[in-house]
Amino acid sequence: MYENDDRIVITLDAGGTNFVFGAMKGCEFITEPITYPSNAQDLDKCLTTMVKGFEETIAKLDSKPVAISFAFPGPADYANGIIGGYLPNFPSFREGVALGAFLERKFGVPVFINNDGDLFAYGEALGGVLPEINRKLEESGNKKRYKNLIGYTFGTGFGVGIVVNGQLNRGDNSCVETFCLPNKFLPGVILEEGVAVRAVKRVYAEESGHINHTLEPKEICEIADGTREGNREAAKKAFEKMGRTAGDAMAISSQLIDGIVVIGGGITAARHHFMPALLHELKSAFNTLEGEKVKRVQMEVYELDKPEELKKFLEGNKRKIKVYGSDEEVEFDDQKRIGIIVSKLGASKAISTGAYAFALSKLDEEASNLRPA
């Protein structure tokens, strides 16, 4: 949508450990990233670092940026640019910080802040998997198009973002979240304890008996692959359990949103270990009181990274039906279906693309409202 736009937007990947600053034009980075420690424990140091990073990024540009737009982890009043509340990675912001207003006064341009999961989904909807899927449908001669998307990020936490009819759903309280949903395997415990990095490490410890191990998910994946020493069955179990926990949550959201599901984040490198379990949940069934089997997700679910699954998804079930009372025929694809796919942009690029597109869409909306009728 904005691939050929020549406006520049300053971006920030705001992590609890590091800040990574950049500038985008036409959905592509035009500067080398600048990285500084976020100093998340100290508000003064954190804001000073943020200003420094933005100033150095702007100094690299030949023309003035039209906006600053970036993601921040956790719930906040994003519509008003106020960060506060339960922020484990940014404890110095918990009492509330008017970050948007602060940065607008410093730099004299509009500032847009959103949740990282929201921007991941928005970036994939505008410049990632959604346009790619619709392009493939068009090339295959299928008239079906997708406008809805759910994006999930697997990492330190379990983030989510929802795009409906091409528009980002930020909710009325900027609080569209998934981490706090029920955990399939741990009653009374939040979902994120079964999906995040710490979950893979914990289950490996429990299954292997190596309670004090220092392995990260990447290394546990290598054990599961058989390329590193360790308890292979325990490693496989860690990813299988993560997949089933995530799939249980996705089965609910995908039925409600009825769109493409895209996943991103570092743990997706282990998708060959967790995707079968995740899909098992999406394709599972419940019973009625009469004993009838009912699919949890009423649509057919396809794994779009597999060529044979993608082919079936693109084909659907097209047939001709007659218009009543005439010899005229119309084409009908009667297969309800969705797909799940791994991000090709990568979570960081998708989030930045979402931040870029969100800023420009808001600027265009404001300009349209100012035009005389």
Side-chain angles (χ1 to χ4, degrees):
M1 188 175 182
Y2 293 106
E3 291 87 349
N4 299 315
D5 203 298
D6 62 1
R7 288 174 288 182
I8 298 173
V9 173
I10 304 300
T11 65
L12 165 64
D13 183 356
T17 303
N18 290 313
F19 284 157
V20 184
F21 302 86
M24 294 195 92
K25 180 168 73 171
C27 293
E28 296 292 339
F29 286 110
I30 58 172
T31 60
E32 288 296 316
I34 295 173
T35 303
Y36 285 116
S38 59
N39 297 303
Q41 304 284 340
D42 186 312
L43 182 60
D44 290 337
K45 286 184 178 179
C46 185
L47 295 180
T48 299
T49 301
M50 196 175 287
V51 170
K52 179 181 179 181
F54 283 136
E55 286 177 339
E56 291 184 6
T57 301
I58 292 171
K60 293 182 175 184
L61 303 175
D62 295 327
S63 57
K64 184 179 178 181
V66 297
I68 291 172
S69 184
F70 61 97
F72 213 87
D77 182 1
Y78 288 113
N80 294 306
I82 299 173
I83 307 299
Y86 179 64
L87 295 160
N89 295 328
F90 284 86
S92 62
F93 283 72
R94 287 182 181 177
E95 297 303 314
V97 177
L99 185 58
F102 168 74
L103 293 173
E104 285 183 354
R105 291 184 66 179
K106 279 284 183 183
F107 294 101
V109 296
V111 175
F112 304 99
I113 311 171
N114 283 284
N115 175 269
D116 48 2
D118 288 346
L119 290 183
F120 170 71
Y122 198 52
E124 290 291 349
L126 293 188
V129 299
L130 205 60
E132 178 68 10
I133 287 168
N134 285 330
R135 181 184 64 78
K136 289 180 178 178
L137 283 165
E138 182 178 9
E139 290 173 352
S140 70
N142 197 311
K143 295 179 182 178
K144 191 174 184 69
R145 299 293 183 271
Y146 286 80
K147 300 177 182 177
N148 303 320
L149 177 142
I150 314 167
Y152 286 98
T153 53
F154 291 73
T156 305
F158 187 46
V160 70
I162 297 170
V163 174
V164 176
N165 199 27
Q167 300 295 314
L168 178 63
N169 173 33
R170 295 203 290 179
D172 291 323
N173 296 286
S174 300
C175 198
V176 176
E177 294 289 352
T178 195
F179 76 94
C180 50
L181 295 178
N183 188 308
K184 177 181 178 69
F185 293 102
L186 299 171
V189 175
I190 62 171
L191 171 69
E192 191 170 88
E193 296 293 351
V195 181
V197 165
R198 62 186 181 274
V200 177
K201 296 165 70 172
R202 174 181 56 80
V203 175
Y204 179 77
E206 292 170 352
E207 293 291 328
S208 67
H210 296 289
I211 302 301
N212 297 317
H213 77 81
T214 58
L215 298 166
E216 295 297 324
K218 179 179 182 295
E219 296 161 316
I220 297 172
C221 179
E222 291 169 354
I223 293 171
D225 290 336
T227 59
R228 175 186 284 266
E229 288 292 322
N231 189 321
R232 192 172 185 184
E233 290 307 310
K236 289 181 177 180
K237 186 69 175 179
F239 288 111
E240 178 197 349
K241 207 164 187 179
M242 188 198 82
R244 291 196 64 188
T245 306
D248 182 61
M250 290 180 183
I252 298 170
S253 60
S254 59
Q255 184 61 70
L256 294 174
I257 304 302
D258 187 10
I260 299 299
V261 179
V262 58
I263 61 175
I267 302 181
T268 56
R271 58 185 174 272
H272 52 298
H273 291 300
F274 69 74
M275 191 64 84
L278 191 156
L279 286 164
H280 173 80
E281 292 294 325
L282 287 173
K283 296 181 179 183
S284 63
F286 289 146
N287 294 317
T288 66
L289 290 176
E290 291 76 27
E292 180 185 356
K293 291 285 185 183
V294 178
K295 295 193 302 181
R296 292 193 64 182
V297 178
Q298 291 292 292
M299 301 78 75
E300 293 296 321
V301 181
Y302 290 99
E303 187 178 356
L304 301 183
D305 289 308
K306 290 186 174 179
E308 65 276 14
E309 292 270 295
L310 175 62
K311 184 174 183 292
K312 292 177 183 177
F313 173 86
L314 296 175
E315 289 174 350
N317 189 39
K318 292 183 290 186
R319 56 192 178 91
K320 297 283 188 179
I321 60 172
K322 279 192 174 183
V323 178
Y324 182 76
S326 75
D327 292 328
E328 182 184 352
E329 290 185 327
V330 294
E331 187 178 274
F332 177 43
D333 183 347
D334 66 357
Q335 187 187 69
K336 296 176 175 66
R337 59 196 185 276
I338 59 172
I340 182 167
I341 188 169
V342 176
S343 170
K344 304 303 180 292
L345 291 176
S348 182
K349 176 68 181 295
I351 290 169
S352 296
T353 300
Y356 179 77
F358 184 87
L360 296 189
S361 68
K362 286 298 181 183
L363 293 175
D364 290 345
E365 183 181 313
E366 291 172 8
S368 177
N369 291 337
L370 290 174
R371 293 192 194 103

